């Protein structure tokens, strides 16, 4: 993923399910083309293959399982994401937590086949511990701020800057993102000022009256 970046988690909001999400993905790709901004999309698993074929932006999954391909039902191994055209995956999002032992297996499995990993952390302590697993990125996202109207960069800037310092100290190869309540270009610019390489967001764009317009405004904060 080119940094700095805006990583857009579609979650499973009704506004992005199926064709609605595919149409939005095309509009978000146009924003990237027009502005040169680095934008990554995270559609639901069921839409990864279609969105990856539809647009040229990096598509990341919202979750991955450490199972091997084979006699497993209802799981999503890294190989399945790669075949679907994903460039990477989120893991351990506060809405889809993963046990440490599982991440210790799935992160290297993803990296062995070329999938980048954004590991999500609820707090600074978890972020520092996750850095030991060497994901490419760690996104610090205080759960209580997710989906809210106040950006983590306003409500808890010290959490972001402390996460940057502690992750850098634990593993300088890991790039830091932050998320929760990010809604405006100012929130994005502040995230970069606090030492991150970008933001992970959802409702500020997906739930906006005009999602494309909201994204166009947000990416201005990357410059
Ligand atoms: O994965 C990013 C997400 O949890 C942040 O949500 O709606 O606060 O941007 P939101």
């Amino acid at each position: 993923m080119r940094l700095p970046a805006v990583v857009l988690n579609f979650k499973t909001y009704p506004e992005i399910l199926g064709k609605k999400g595919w149409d939005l993905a095309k509009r978000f790709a146009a924003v990237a083309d027009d502005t040169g901004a680095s934008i990554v999309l995270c559609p639901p698993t069921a839409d990864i293959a279609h969105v990856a074929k539809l647009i040229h932006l990096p598509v990341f999954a919202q979750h991955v399982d450490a199972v091997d391909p084979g006699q497993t039902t209802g799981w999503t191994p890294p190989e399945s994401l790669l075949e679907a055209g994903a460039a990477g995956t989120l893991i351990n999002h506060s809405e889809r937590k993963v046990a440490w032992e599982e991440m210790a297996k799935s992160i290297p499995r993803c990296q062995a086949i070329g999938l980048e990993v954004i590991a999500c952390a609820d707090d600074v302590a978890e972020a520092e511990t996750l850095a030991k697993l060497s994901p490419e990125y760690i996104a610090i996202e205080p759960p209580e701020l997710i989906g809210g109207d106040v950006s983590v960069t306003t409500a808890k800037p010290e959490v972001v800057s402390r996460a940057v310092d502690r992750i850098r100290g634990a593993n300088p190869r890991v790039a830091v993102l932050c998320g929760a309540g990010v809604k405006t270009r100012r929130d994005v610019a502040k995230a970069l000022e606090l030492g991150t390489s970008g933001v992970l967001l959802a409702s500020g764009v997906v739930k906006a009256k005009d999602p494309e317009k909201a994204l166009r405004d947000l990416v201005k904060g990357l410059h």
Side-chain angles (χ1 to χ4, degrees):
M1 167 186 353
R2 179 165 51 91
L3 297 176
V6 169
V7 181
L8 183 47
N9 182 1
F10 281 21
K11 299 198 174 181
T12 57
Y13 285 118
E15 291 88 344
I16 55 81
L17 297 180
K19 189 175 178 313
K20 289 175 285 186
W22 310 342
D23 292 345
L24 277 175
K26 281 190 282 191
R27 290 170 60 189
F28 297 154
V31 172
D33 290 346
D34 296 348
T35 63
S38 175
I39 299 171
V40 174
L41 303 183
C42 311
T45 306
D47 294 312
I48 289 173
H50 190 86
V51 171
K53 284 193 191 66
L54 209 54
I55 59 166
H56 57 284
L57 300 182
V59 174
F60 275 45
Q62 296 178 14
H63 171 74
V64 65
D65 296 303
V67 297
D68 291 324
Q71 191 178 329
T72 50
T73 301
W75 299 86
T76 307
E79 293 76 6
S80 161
L81 296 180
L82 186 72
E83 292 300 322
T89 183
L90 304 179
I91 191 165
N92 196 48
H93 191 281
S94 62
E95 296 153 358
R96 184 70 168 79
K97 296 301 280 184
V98 177
W100 169 267
E101 298 70 24
E102 164 104 8
M103 280 193 277
K105 283 190 283 183
S106 42
I107 290 175
R109 282 275 312 284
C110 287
Q111 293 169 334
I113 60 172
L115 290 175
E116 291 191 317
V117 178
I118 301 174
C120 298
D122 294 358
D123 54 40
V124 175
E126 186 176 31
E128 191 171 17
T129 309
L130 280 175
K132 297 186 176 75
L133 293 177
S134 295
E136 281 76 11
Y137 316 95
I138 290 176
I140 178 86
E141 286 202 315
E144 70 279 9
L145 296 174
I146 290 177
D149 292 326
V150 182
S151 170
V152 62
T153 56
T154 303
K156 295 193 167 183
E158 72 289 348
V159 168
V160 178
S161 50
R162 212 173 324 128
V164 170
D165 292 344
R166 299 271 281 276
I167 291 167
R168 199 166 283 159
N171 186 341
R173 290 194 309 277
V174 176
V176 183
L177 307 174
C178 70
V182 173
K183 297 265 188 303
T184 68
R185 73 176 81 171
R186 181 74 205 110
D187 298 337
V188 176
K190 185 74 187 289
L192 300 188
E193 287 163 21
L194 290 168
T196 73
S197 301
V199 294
L200 176 56
L201 62 96
S203 56
V205 171
V206 171
K207 306 290 281 182
K209 217 170 32 247
D210 182 338
E212 179 182 338
K213 184 167 174 284
L215 185 59
R216 276 186 192 281
D217 172 66
L218 266 165
V219 297
K220 289 175 186 155
L222 291 176
H223 305 299

